[in-house]
C-alpha cells in the first residue's frame, strides 16, 4: 500500500542493504491489504487475542498461588512459550512450550515442581478447549476433503 511505502521510504537510505531488502519483502506481504484500517483491525484483534491468552496464564498463576509478577509475568510467560513455536515440534508445540514456560518461571524463583505444573495446566487450558470445540464443529458440520482450488 502507498501509505506504508511512504512511511518506509525515509528509512531506506539510512539502513544497510540487507535490512532494506528484508523490509521490502515485509512490505510486499502487505500488497493485498486494502487499507490502513484493515491493518489496524488485524492489529487490534491480535492484541486482544494475546491479552486473552495472557489472562488465562494469569488466572492459572493465581489459582496455583504464584505471586511473582502478576499480569506482567503472565504476559512474559505467554510470549516466550508461544514464540517457542518457531522450534519444530510435535502437535500443539508439545515440549518446547512447556520448557520455555517452566524456564521463564524458574528465572523468577518459582520452584521447579510448580513451574512444570503451571506449564502443563496452562497449555492444557489453551489447547484443549479450542480442539474439542473444533472437533465438535467438524462432526456437526461434516468434513469434506474436496479441494475447490484443485478440483481434487
Amino acid at each position: 500500500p502507498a501509505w506504508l511505502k511512504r512511511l518506509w521510504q525515509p528509512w531506506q537510505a539510512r539502513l544497510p542493504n540487507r535490512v532494506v531488502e528484508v523490509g521490502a519483502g515485509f512490505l510486499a506481504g502487505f500488497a493485498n491489504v486494502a487499507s490502513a484500517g484493515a491493518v489496524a483491525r488485524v492489529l487490534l484483534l491480535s492484541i486482544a487475542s494475546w491479552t486473552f491468552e495472557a489472562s488465562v496464564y494469569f488466572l492459572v498463576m493465581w489459582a496455583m498461588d504464584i505471586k511473582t509478577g502478576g499480569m506482567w509475568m503472565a504476559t512474559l510467560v505467554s510470549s516466550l512459550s508461544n514464540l517457542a513455536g518457531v522450534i519444530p515440534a510435535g502437535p500443539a508445540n508439545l515440549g518446547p512450550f512447556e520448557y520455555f514456560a517452566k524456564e521463564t518461571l524458574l528465572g523468577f524463583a518459582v520452584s521447579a515442581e510448580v513451574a512444570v505444573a503451571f506449564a502443563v495446566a496452562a497449555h492444557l487450558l489453551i489447547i484443549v478447549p479450542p480442539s474439542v470445540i473444533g472437533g465438535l464443529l467438524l462432526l456437526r458440520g461434516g468434513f469434506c476433503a474436496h479441494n475447490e482450488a484443485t478440483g481434487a
Side-chain angles (χ1 to χ4, degrees):
W3 63 270
L4 203 49
K5 287 181 182 177
R6 283 193 304 274
L7 285 175
W8 174 244
Q9 232 163 0
W11 295 96
Q12 289 182 354
R14 299 180 191 145
L15 298 171
N17 286 340
R18 181 65 184 141
V19 174
V20 171
E21 290 171 16
V22 170
F26 178 76
L27 290 178
F30 286 95
N32 293 326
V33 175
S35 67
V39 172
R41 285 190 297 277
V42 168
L43 182 61
L44 287 173
L45 286 172
S46 179
I47 290 170
S49 172
W50 279 80
T51 302
F52 179 78
E53 186 165 340
S55 297
V56 170
Y57 287 52
F58 175 77
L59 291 173
V60 173
M61 290 172 66
W62 179 70
M64 297 181 80
D65 205 31
I66 299 172
K67 302 281 189 222
T68 307
M71 189 63 179
W72 177 88
M73 176 61 75
T75 303
L76 181 65
V77 172
S78 173
S79 299
L80 293 177
S81 57
N82 279 300
L83 288 173
V86 301
I87 299 170
N93 198 29
L94 290 174
F97 179 96
E98 285 75 15
Y99 175 79
F100 281 91
K102 175 191 69 130
E103 290 298 317
T104 303
L105 290 173
L106 289 177
F108 291 90
V110 174
S111 73
E113 296 82 10
V114 172
V116 169
F118 167 84
V120 172
H123 204 186
L124 285 172
L125 281 171
I126 293 297
I127 295 297
V128 172
S131 298
V132 169
I133 291 168
L136 292 173
L137 290 173
L138 184 64
L139 291 173
R140 180 177 164 225
F143 176 72
C144 179
H146 179 75
N147 185 336
E148 291 181 22
T150 62

